[in-house]
Structure formats: C-alpha cells, structure tokens
Amino acid sequence: MAGISATTRQGTQLSARTRPTTSLGGDDEVSEDLVICKICNRELTTPKHFPCLHTFCEACLNIHAKASKQSDESAQVKCPTCSVPAPESADTDPEKIVAKLPINNLLLSHVMKRQLKTKTCKPCKRRKKTSTAKSWCSECAEALCDECVENHASIQSSNRHLVIPITEAENNPFTMQRKILCIDHPREEVTKFCMEHQTACCGKCKTGTHSQCTSFLPIDRAIEVMRKKQELTVLVSQLETMSSNAEKIVTERKKAVADLASHKVEEEKVIQTFRTKVIEHVDNLEKALKEEFDELHEREINHIQQDIEVFEQKLQNINYYKDLLDAATKNIPPLAVLTEGAKIRQQCQLLEENMQHRAGKIVRTQYEIKETDLVSKMPNLGIVDAKHTTLHSDRTIDHLQLSPRLPIRMSEKRHNFLALKYQSSFISGGFAMNKNLVLVDNKGREVRGYSESGHRIDTQVCPMYGNPFDATLLPDRKGNYMIAVTLPVMKTIQLLEVGPRSLSIMDRFHFKSVDQCFGITFVDGKLLVACMKSIDMWELDAENRLTLVTSMKVEGERVKYICAADHNRVYYTDSDFRGGLYCITTDGGSIFRYSHKNLRVPMGMAVDQRGNVYVAGHYSNNIHQVSPEGGLIQIIAPEDDGFKKPIMMISNGEKIFLSYESHTITYMYPS
C-alpha cells in the first residue's frame, strides 16, 4: 500500500497514458488500465469502487483496509490512488467498510467480456496455471475449468451459485450479468430509474425514498431518454473543459514557483540595503530576517506545490472518468451503462461544484520587505510578508490535498477572555463583524459585541425576549446593517438593527419558523436555518421581511449548527453522539459526509481562508480539521487544562475563535 501512496503523491509528470483522448466510438476493447487492479496489478476480481470511482479488487481492498486500521483503528480507509475516504469510515471493522463499497458494474462487464473472449479459467490463472474454461459462474463473474467447477461446488459458500456452460454465455451474454441490487432495498433487483435523483432503484422505492419524484421510469425507458439526450457526449465535453482548466492551473502554479524564486532574489537585495543603516548588531538581525523570509518562502512554495499536486491528481481523475465514459460506449449491457453512467454524472457534478469552490482559493503571492525604523530600538531588521491576490479563472477544479499539512497552532500568547453576563452564561453562537465578535449568550438572553482582545463593546448589546441560539449578519442595505437571531423555544427568527449607538430589536420584524430553529447563516441571498431534521431557506425582501422559500429534509437527527462556505456550498453538523459533518449545495445536493471515531457530538464550525473546515467535537474535546473534499487533515487537541467541551467557532480573518466551558473564548491560527 505504501508504494501506491508514494507514487500518487510524488508523481508530477503526466504520461501519454494518463492523458487519453476520449472517444465515444470505436471497437469494444477498453484501456488495459481500466480493468487492471492498481494494487495487485492483475485483472480485477469482484471490482469495488470508492466514491471517486477508482476501482480495485475486493480482496486487495480488504488487505488495504486492514493495513489502514492496523496502527489506528479510528483511521479512515482511503482510496489508494487519490485518498478519497470510503463512506462510513468510522466503522472499525475493515471488512465491513469494504463490504459496503459498491460493485463497479461497468468494469465488471468488460472483465467478463475479456474472460469470455479468452476462455481462460480465472482461478487457475491466479495460481499461475493455464486451463481452458468450460463453464461460467454468474455469481462470482468468473470463467471456470472443469476442475474448478468441481471445487466450486464443494465449497459451501459457492455451491448454490448459478454455473452455466460457457457456450451458453457466449450465445446470450446477458446470462453472465450479475443482478444489480437496490441500495435502499438490498434484496430487490434494480428495475427503475429516478431521473430527478439520477439513481437506479427498485419498485419499492416509488412508495418510499422517491415517493415525491415525478420522473420515475422503467429501466428501458430511462435508457431511451439518456440516448436521446446524448448525455455521455455532454459529459465528455465537460471533462474536456475541466481537463483544460486543470492543465492551465498546473502550468500557472509551476510558473508561480519560478517567479517567486526570482522575486525572492530581488527582495533579498532590498534586505542588503538595510544593512548600511545599522551598526554592531546588523549581522544577527540580517540572519534572523533571512531565516524568517526563508520560512515564509518555504510555506508559500509548499502551498503552491500543494495546488500543483491537487490539480495534477485531479487531471488523473478526469482522465480516468473519460476512460470510464469511453468504456461505457462499448458493447456492454445497457443496464451497466445506465447505472455507472449515473455515477459518473454525479462525480462530474461534484467536480463542477468543486471547480467553483476552489476558484476563490488560489492566490498569487508577492513578497514585500518593509524597513523598520532604524533610529529607534530595533528588534528586527525588517518585516517579511506575502501579499496574496486572487487568481481569477473562469472555471477551476478541486481535489483532496495529499501533501503533508503544517500543524495548527493555538495562539502562543493566549488572550482567553470570558464572555459573561452572569455565571450561567452559555455562548452558543455568533459571527464576526468589522473584525469584532458578536456573541450570542443563550442563557444570558443577550447578543453582545466584543473586540478580539475581549473588551466588551457597549454599543453592541441587545437583551432578548427569549433564549437566543445563533446569529448572522445580513448584507448592508443603504448603510444599514441587520442581524438575524434564532430563538429555538419560541420558534422565531428575530431581526435586530445595528445602529451607531446600540443594537435594537426591530419589533415588527420577527418571523415564526415551522420547527425549532438553531444555527443560522446567510449565503447567495438566502438565509439558511438549521431545524433539527431540516434546513429552512428564507428570502429577505426589500422591506426587510422574511419569506420561507422551502424546507429541505437533510440527513441527521440533531442538525443544530450550520456554516456557509463559498458560493453554493454549505456545511452543517449532526450534533448526535455519533453524528458527523455534512457538506451540501444550497439546493440540497450532497457533496460529502465526514465522520470519525474521535468526533463525538460535533457542534460549531468555521472555514479558513484556504477552504478547510474546522469542527468542534463537544464530547471528544478536540477540533477536527477537514479538507474541502471531506478528508481528515488533523485532529487538534489543545494542551490546555482549561480547554473542555468546545461549542461554537467563528472565522475572523486569519484567526479562528472558539468558545468552550460555557463562556470562555480563545483562538487559534491555521498555518
């Protein structure tokens, strides 16, 4: 496993093999790479895939999963190629994790075609023997010689498998096909296709999960619709565009490395000019400044190298999907085309969302050396800084960061402070405004403002009628700011006005929610409110009135905290004991779910400037740093005896503030 990971991390050159030209025509042969397991380097056996669609033998994945869990049973089982975590990776039994991974029916169909063509017994081939296959096991999807058929029948776990003569399989290839079972009803065979959710399902789903769906078609009808719309052709075009964009990003990032190296040389000359303005201690100061400059330069280069690795890895993913699409056009059972095509389509949608998300995260860097006042006491020779400007791109793409991350550091000089009205204060929510903090005191029944250093801002105090839970800042309207506050017990969203002298309740502007309302955030002109098992979406009109647009049912039993990231991306937590972090689009589409053995009762969240999300583990007494793609970066457990039960988090510039032990506020710096 280690060899695979090292290859995928360190590889920077894309070979001709990794940049194929996708075609929707041609013969029935597919790329050799698609049907070869990258772990054992043999033809796939019982091919299972991760959410990223990278596919491996089930037996190989069992070994990989056991190795992942060997040193840390709470570790995630990740794709050996791109490190996308397997669903439900919090499970400690590696075989159960692998068992939940779905079969790649598209590649399985091509593997079966290859076996049927060569008529080579696959069990014998694994033992490095060559035997002519005479029979076919539809359950194992393997060609068998006469001896292996006898062995097959003698094993209790396989003696009831349907084994047919291989000549019959040649005459009717559909007899080779394994049944595709419904995800929600594992005993039912797939017979329907939901066009709204792009999911294959069984007849029972019509009265269950898809009871509200209007486009619920039989499989053959769905295939006709897909062919008429030429959806595979559209997907190819999308992948080509994303491939072009990813290559542009990689090229730009490589150029940025060279530019920064040149820029560094120029700025070091500036440092030399400072030398003439000091007398005895200039050498030591120069050395200190250069060390600081080198450290900054290394950090910036590391960030850029991470971008390069991300987009080169994504290029490999894109090309892989293009190969899958090419494979889908070959002469294989249409059901496999439909089901796997839907999965590829979902991955393309996630890629598209990730492109928009990452576009605002890539920055260009310039160094600036500022001279200190040499006449007065001089603690250093200069100030080193990196000026970032956003790299504008029409469309960009995103992928899991595979590079090692620098550790998060809690503030060296702690500026902890108490946000206290009286002893039973409980800080449950808040947000940043003008570099200050606006905190919600649930038990103290107040919304209060504080500076970063903990000084109370008297003009930003507003008593509440009930127990508030969370608040968010609404957009500026003609110089006036408003705050929306949730009152769960009263099932009310209350608007406050931010005045020059005080916060004040807007008496006529309180709005009843359908259920108890907790976390609240504003994104894309919509107010999103967490309501235990749903997320309500409200609109604010020109007269400052809220209108409920929709109530989206979401996964989770105790959805209480919600956080907006960038355009069309929202995070929320299920604050159940075994809950997790969810990332969705504003229309309810799922991007990822993160759960972990050492994340108990997840509550507040914050997003840093590079798009990483931080989750407060209330009962596990830690902070989880998670990548924009749902992978664990690190678990932060501050070495502070007073740190206990973190609650809510607020991102404020380069700092992330968090509350713990009811009303203590502290902060940390993401590196």
Side-chain angles (χ1 to χ4, degrees):
M1 304 314 111
I4 294 174
S5 299
T7 301
T8 56
R9 286 173 182 264
Q10 297 171 2
T12 56
Q13 299 297 323
L14 299 180
S15 65
R17 171 59 250 149
T18 61
R19 289 193 271 137
T21 300
T22 301
S23 170
L24 293 182
D27 55 31
D28 290 341
E29 293 298 324
V30 298
S31 167
E32 182 80 7
D33 285 353
L34 283 177
V35 294
I36 298 299
C37 172
K38 296 302 184 296
I39 296 178
C40 65
N41 291 320
R42 298 175 182 173
E43 188 177 74
L44 289 166
T45 300
T46 314
K48 291 205 162 189
H49 67 78
F50 285 82
C52 57
L53 302 186
H54 287 127
T55 306
F56 310 90
C57 301
E58 183 175 27
C60 294
L61 286 179
N62 280 325
I63 298 173
H64 170 69
K66 289 177 181 177
S68 300
K69 295 285 188 180
Q70 191 169 11
S71 58
D72 181 5
E73 65 177 16
S74 65
Q76 292 178 305
V77 176
K78 298 180 179 180
C79 170
T81 298
C82 67
S83 294
V84 168
E88 305 297 335
S89 288
D91 199 322
T92 57
D93 188 342
E95 290 190 359
K96 288 183 179 180
I97 296 173
V98 174
K100 292 177 182 178
L101 294 176
I103 293 285
N104 190 324
N105 292 292
L106 174 63
L107 297 187
L108 178 60
S109 297
H110 281 288
V111 169
M112 292 190 297
K113 284 173 59 179
R114 286 164 60 96
Q115 291 185 53
L116 194 63
K117 185 176 181 180
T118 60
K119 295 185 179 64
T120 300
C121 176
K122 193 163 185 179
C124 289
K125 187 177 180 180
R126 287 197 292 268
R127 298 193 298 270
K128 297 183 179 181
K129 293 173 56 179
T130 301
S131 302
T132 302
K134 298 294 182 63
S135 303
W136 179 268
C137 175
S138 58
E139 185 67 25
C140 297
E142 290 186 341
L144 306 171
C145 66
D146 291 340
E147 181 181 351
C148 288
V149 169
E150 292 182 9
N151 294 335
H152 204 65
S154 65
I155 300 173
Q156 186 175 0
S157 60
S158 60
N159 59 10
R160 294 188 178 182
H161 290 183
L162 176 62
V163 178
I164 60 175
I166 202 165
T167 53
E168 182 179 335
E170 286 180 304
N171 295 331
N172 184 9
F174 291 100
T175 60
M176 302 165 54
Q177 186 70 40
R178 293 179 63 167
K179 290 183 179 180
I180 299 179
L181 302 178
C182 177
I183 296 176
D184 294 328
H185 305 95
R187 296 185 179 181
E188 299 293 326
E189 188 174 355
V190 166
T191 57
K192 306 289 183 181
F193 194 82
C194 176
M195 302 299 288
E196 294 181 25
H197 291 91
Q198 291 292 299
T199 304
C201 41
C202 68
K204 289 184 177 180
C205 292
K206 178 60 179 174
T207 58
T209 310
H210 301 273
S211 59
Q212 303 299 319
C213 300
T214 56
S215 300
F216 200 71
L217 304 178
I219 289 295
D220 54 353
R221 174 59 181 151
I223 292 172
E224 291 179 11
V225 172
M226 183 188 72
R227 286 173 175 168
K228 287 180 180 179
K229 291 183 177 180
Q230 296 183 324
E231 293 189 3
L232 295 183
T233 304
V234 174
L235 286 175
V236 170
S237 176
Q238 292 176 347
L239 285 170
E240 292 288 359
T241 301
M242 286 187 280
S243 177
S244 174
N245 288 330
E247 288 179 338
K248 290 177 182 177
I249 294 293
V250 170
T251 300
E252 192 280 335
R253 294 285 83 189
K254 289 182 178 179
K255 183 177 181 298
V257 172
D259 290 346
L260 279 184
S262 175
H263 195 188
K264 179 175 181 286
V265 173
E266 294 176 2
E267 292 296 330
E268 284 178 337
K269 294 177 182 178
V270 177
I271 297 174
Q272 294 296 329
T273 63
F274 298 165
R275 181 181 178 88
T276 59
K277 299 179 182 180
V278 297
I279 305 176
E280 297 178 352
H281 60 298
V282 65
D283 292 332
N284 292 332
L285 292 177
E286 181 186 11
K287 179 181 177 181
L289 182 60
K290 282 190 174 182
E291 287 177 352
E292 181 185 358
F293 189 44
D294 288 339
E295 181 182 349
L296 174 67
H297 178 69
E298 183 179 358
R299 287 203 304 269
E300 294 301 319
I301 294 300
N302 283 341
H303 287 319
I304 296 173
Q305 292 290 3
Q306 290 169 9
D307 289 339
I308 292 172
E309 291 182 10
V310 164
F311 288 104
E312 286 183 332
Q313 180 61 63
K314 181 55 65 178
L315 272 175
Q316 294 180 7
N317 282 11
I318 292 171
N319 293 327
Y320 181 74
Y321 297 155
K322 287 160 69 176
D323 276 345
L324 288 179
L325 285 174
D326 190 44
T329 63
K330 312 304 181 182
N331 185 20
I332 63 173
L335 179 57
V337 175
L338 182 63
T339 56
E340 301 306 320
K343 294 177 182 178
I344 298 172
R345 184 182 305 104
Q346 291 171 355
Q347 287 300 309
C348 284
Q349 291 172 348
L350 288 180
L351 280 174
E352 185 68 14
E353 190 280 336
N354 280 332
M355 290 192 307
Q356 298 299 328
H357 176 68
R358 185 63 71 175
K361 300 303 177 187
I362 295 179
V363 296
R364 287 194 179 98
T365 303
Q366 288 184 325
Y367 294 135
E368 182 178 4
I369 307 297
K370 296 180 181 179
E371 180 182 357
T372 58
D373 184 1
L374 301 179
V375 178
S376 62
K377 183 179 179 180
M378 188 174 62
N380 51 50
L381 186 61
I383 299 173
V384 180
D385 193 14
K387 297 172 64 177
H388 295 130
T389 56
T390 302
L391 173 66
H392 294 286
S393 177
D394 291 336
R395 304 170 77 180
T396 57
I397 59 176
D398 185 9
H399 187 61
L400 269 176
Q401 303 264 355
L402 298 180
S403 302
R405 294 305 188 97
L406 296 174
I408 297 298
R409 56 188 174 94
M410 303 299 290
S411 54
E412 288 84 354
K413 296 180 180 179
R414 283 296 184 84
H415 294 293
N416 298 352
F417 65 88
L418 300 181
L420 190 64
K421 181 179 180 183
Y422 44 77
Q423 194 58 37
S424 61
S425 288
F426 182 84
I427 305 303
S428 57
F431 60 91
M433 182 173 70
N434 298 328
K435 294 188 177 181
N436 294 320
L437 305 177
V438 177
L439 304 179
V440 177
D441 188 342
N442 177 260
K443 293 182 179 179
R445 292 192 171 191
E446 270 189 354
V447 175
R448 299 192 296 276
Y450 292 86
S451 68
E452 284 192 348
S453 58
H455 297 295
R456 180 164 166 161
I457 302 173
D458 293 332
T459 59
Q460 294 182 3
V461 177
C462 183
M464 302 298 296
Y465 297 134
N467 297 88
F469 186 85
D470 197 9
T472 190
L473 184 66
L474 299 180
D476 177 15
R477 291 194 173 186
K478 298 180 181 179
N480 296 323
Y481 286 96
M482 289 187 301
I483 297 173
V485 182
T486 55
L487 298 137
V489 177
M490 301 173 69
K491 299 183 180 179
T492 298
I493 301 173
Q494 174 71 62
L495 298 189
L496 309 181
E497 185 177 22
V498 182
R501 296 183 179 179
S502 65
L503 294 180
S504 57
I505 291 177
M506 302 172 70
D507 291 330
R508 295 183 296 108
F509 296 94
H510 55 272
F511 306 90
K512 289 292 183 180
S513 60
V514 177
D515 204 344
Q516 291 189 46
C517 47
F518 294 91
I520 188 169
T521 190
F522 190 85
V523 60
D524 286 347
K526 301 288 192 302
L527 201 62
L528 302 183
V529 184
C531 299
M532 294 300 276
K533 293 190 177 182
S534 68
I535 293 177
D536 291 353
M537 183 181 294
W538 298 73
E539 280 187 344
L540 183 68
D541 64 20
E543 297 179 352
N544 298 328
R545 295 188 179 277
L546 291 174
T547 303
L548 180 62
V549 178
T550 184
S551 181
M552 300 183 297
K553 290 190 178 299
V554 293
E555 292 185 70
E557 297 298 321
R558 299 175 61 83
V559 179
K560 297 177 72 173
Y561 280 91
I562 188 168
C563 173
D566 290 333
H567 169 72
N568 199 37
R569 177 178 281 221
V570 176
Y571 296 104
Y572 71 86
T573 52
D574 174 16
S575 297
D576 194 37
F577 188 75
R578 293 184 177 273
L581 166 70
Y582 294 80
C583 181
I584 63 173
T585 59
T586 51
D587 58 2
S590 176
I591 298 176
F592 70 78
R593 176 191 181 230
Y594 169 80
S595 60
H596 196 281
K597 177 184 178 182
N598 292 330
L599 179 64
R600 292 289 175 261
V601 188
M603 297 186 75
M605 298 153 290
V607 180
D608 69 15
Q609 295 175 333
R610 292 186 65 82
N612 300 314
V613 60
Y614 301 80
V615 189
H618 188 59
Y619 275 22
S620 48
N621 287 325
N622 53 29
I623 308 295
H624 287 237
Q625 183 190 16
V626 182
S627 75
E629 296 76 22
L632 173 64
I633 297 174
Q634 63 177 320
I635 298 176
I636 308 160
E639 296 179 0
D640 186 337
D641 294 337
F643 183 85
K644 186 177 181 182
K645 293 188 176 181
I647 303 163
M648 68 89 191
M649 307 182 75
I650 299 174
S651 180
N652 191 16
E654 294 183 351
K655 299 177 183 178
I656 292 180
F657 287 82
L658 60 148
S659 69
Y660 62 94
E661 271 294 287
S662 299
H663 44 249
T664 306
I665 311 296
T666 190
Y667 64 87
M668 60 186 181
Y669 283 107
S671 296

